[in-house]
Amino acid sequence: MNETASLRARAEIDLAALRANVRVLRERAAGAQLMAVVKSDGYGHGAVPCARAARAAGATWLGTATPHEALALRAAGLDGRIMCWLWTPGGPWREAVEAGIDVSAGAMWALREAVAAARSAGRPARVQLKADTGLGRGGCQPADWPELVGAARDAERAGHLRITGLWSHFACADEPGHPSIAAQLDVYRDMVAYAEKEGVEPEVRHMANSPATLTIPEAHFDLVRTGIAMYGISPAPELGTSAELGLRPVMTLSASVALVKDAPAGHGVSYGYHYTTPADTTLGLIPVGYADGVPRHASGSGPVLVGGKVRTVAGRVAMDQFVVDLGGDRPEAGAEAVLFGPGDRGEPTAQDWAEAAGTIAYEIVTRIGARVPRVHVNETPDETAGGVPR
Ligand SMILES: *Cc1c(COP(=O)(O)O)cnc(C)c1O
């Protein structure tokens, strides 16, 4: 490997894999546009490089949760359509309007903020109305929809805004056949029909996240919003592995073994002595811990590839480090320890860590800490030049 191999730890981000995943998802939702969801620093992969790679592979929209995330994309020079949906009163509404970012309104207060921002910016806001079709999280309940749509139409006629989208979000798209899926689609179609009857002409109607993009074609509408699948991770193991879905995990998390030493039988390992060496053995010190996002819940269960073998975290994960029992093997200090990656070198995957920690793979990649450098490789869209780290 290149000089990054000498880093304590690194998250290598394969942008060629990300671009290939975007192409696979665009094929799965042919006829719809694709929004690359790059919230939370691109699910821990680095928002700006991932946004650029997704754009190069044909994603026409970028999506974030917070307006600050969206503004950061604009500031980095990303043009075209950007949408953000997680607003609070007093947020940077005016900055978003000035930057031509689509804002979301699921309540009257948000619509009022968008109108006020448009007045002070001197240009119409691009507003997408969010319907709560059953998730029970953000968005406007069906009973309140006429009031929200009516007020938005009034503001549109007055030139303060343009209603650019009508959108919603699924509760159980990762459970194929769940009765809420059909129910939410019915409510969504009714809410869209009502808004269109009132004169709304949205540029985009959208509802599908990754699992819906992969399994619910009738939910594709004009645009699909893909996050986790674009990063190459299956939204749920029941939907298939990454490989079965034609996706390739984008992040490889690895560390340099910090120490290898002999230890006698019966030696306690790490805080609380939750592991005791069963025999004379060798111990390897892996210099990443829960401050780096390695889940403490994976104490005694997280898998790591070291010296060609998959080992298990011995005892507790500490803040900055954990230990593996190497069973007498003696890899050199500095040898590579791979916590997770695509899996084709025999390394574990983020899904394996999710199972070890009792969570979902979304959380595993998203929680990798700021102390771990992201090393983006294959940044050039020219695949023939591929494989060259920058
Ligand atoms: C995070 C998010 C998505 C992407 O979800 P994935 O399951 O990662 O594809 C889509 N839409 C909204 C509103 C989101 O918050």
Side-chain angles (χ1 to χ4, degrees):
M1 254 189 84
N2 59 9
E3 73 283 358
T4 61
S6 63
L7 295 171
R8 171 189 70 103
R10 59 219 161 255
E12 186 177 284
I13 309 300
D14 180 357
L15 294 172
L18 187 141
R19 291 191 299 272
N21 295 335
V22 168
R23 285 189 215 103
V24 165
L25 293 165
R26 286 180 61 210
E27 269 168 40
R28 294 295 284 260
Q33 298 183 70
L34 184 137
M35 175 188 287
V37 179
V38 294
K39 63 190 180 189
S40 193
D41 199 26
Y43 290 39
H45 296 66
V48 168
C50 290
R52 289 203 182 107
R55 273 274 155 84
T60 46
W61 285 76
L62 300 173
T64 68
T66 73
H68 294 95
E69 293 172 322
L71 288 164
L73 294 176
R74 267 287 186 266
L78 284 146
D79 53 14
R81 295 280 171 248
I82 301 179
M83 174 184 182
C84 59
W85 46 78
L86 192 58
W87 285 92
T88 43
W93 293 88
R94 178 180 169 156
E95 290 87 335
V97 171
E98 285 171 344
I101 289 167
D102 282 46
V103 304
S104 175
M108 290 297 288
W109 72 261
L111 200 60
R112 282 192 289 270
E113 292 242 18
V115 168
R119 282 175 182 273
S120 68
R123 64 181 275 187
R126 293 177 53 88
V127 179
Q128 301 212 17
L129 301 181
K130 166 112 192 249
D132 181 359
T133 56
L135 175 59
R137 207 174 65 176
C140 179
Q141 283 282 306
D144 302 323
W145 191 239
E147 182 191 20
L148 184 69
V149 169
R153 277 294 288 141
D154 288 346
E156 187 168 54
R157 284 194 207 89
H160 298 315
L161 58 83
R162 158 126 187 78
I163 305 169
T164 52
L166 299 172
W167 73 292
S168 189
H169 197 41
F170 281 110
C172 307
D174 53 351
E175 295 177 51
H178 192 285
S180 69
I181 294 170
Q184 282 196 261
L185 278 167
D186 282 347
V187 174
Y188 180 66
R189 288 196 192 95
D190 285 350
M191 291 172 85
V192 168
Y194 176 86
E196 291 181 343
K197 178 177 66 81
E198 294 299 304
V200 175
E201 293 177 2
E203 294 170 15
V204 283
R205 294 158 295 178
H206 51 108
M207 204 169 166
N209 54 3
S210 291
T213 300
L214 293 166
T215 66
I216 316 172
E218 64 270 37
H220 292 169
F221 298 103
D222 303 312
L223 174 67
V224 296
R225 306 186 303 267
T226 55
I228 199 73
M230 184 176 79
Y231 302 103
I233 292 173
S234 171
E238 304 75 49
L239 304 184
T241 63
S242 297
E244 284 162 357
L245 296 169
L247 304 170
R248 181 169 176 81
V250 170
M251 181 189 292
T252 297
L253 179 67
S254 56
S256 297
V257 175
L259 176 69
V260 177
K261 65 184 174 190
D262 292 305
H267 201 301
V269 175
S270 193
Y271 296 132
Y273 281 172
H274 292 275
Y275 182 82
T276 304
T277 53
D280 288 0
T281 190
T282 46
L283 297 176
L285 181 64
I286 313 297
V288 284
Y290 58 78
D292 301 297
V294 177
R296 190 168 177 276
H297 270 85
S299 295
S301 61
V304 195
L305 180 71
V306 192
K309 292 181 193 151
V310 176
R311 305 293 186 178
T312 302
V313 175
R316 282 212 179 126
V317 173
M319 187 182 296
D320 314 305
Q321 43 194 307
F322 65 84
V323 175
V324 290
D325 186 335
L326 294 169
D329 285 2
R330 285 186 174 73
E332 300 269 313
E336 187 182 33
V338 186
L339 282 79
F340 59 82
D344 45 12
R345 286 191 290 155
E347 76 276 23
T349 61
Q351 180 59 34
D352 293 327
W353 274 87
E355 283 159 27
T359 184
I360 55 176
Y362 288 76
E363 189 182 355
I364 297 298
V365 289
T366 306
R367 62 183 292 150
I368 299 308
R371 197 166 64 171
V372 177
R374 271 56 171 183
V375 179
H376 293 93
V377 300
N378 298 324
E379 223 148 357
T380 163
D382 179 6
E383 306 291 321
T384 58
V388 184
R390 70 171 172 171

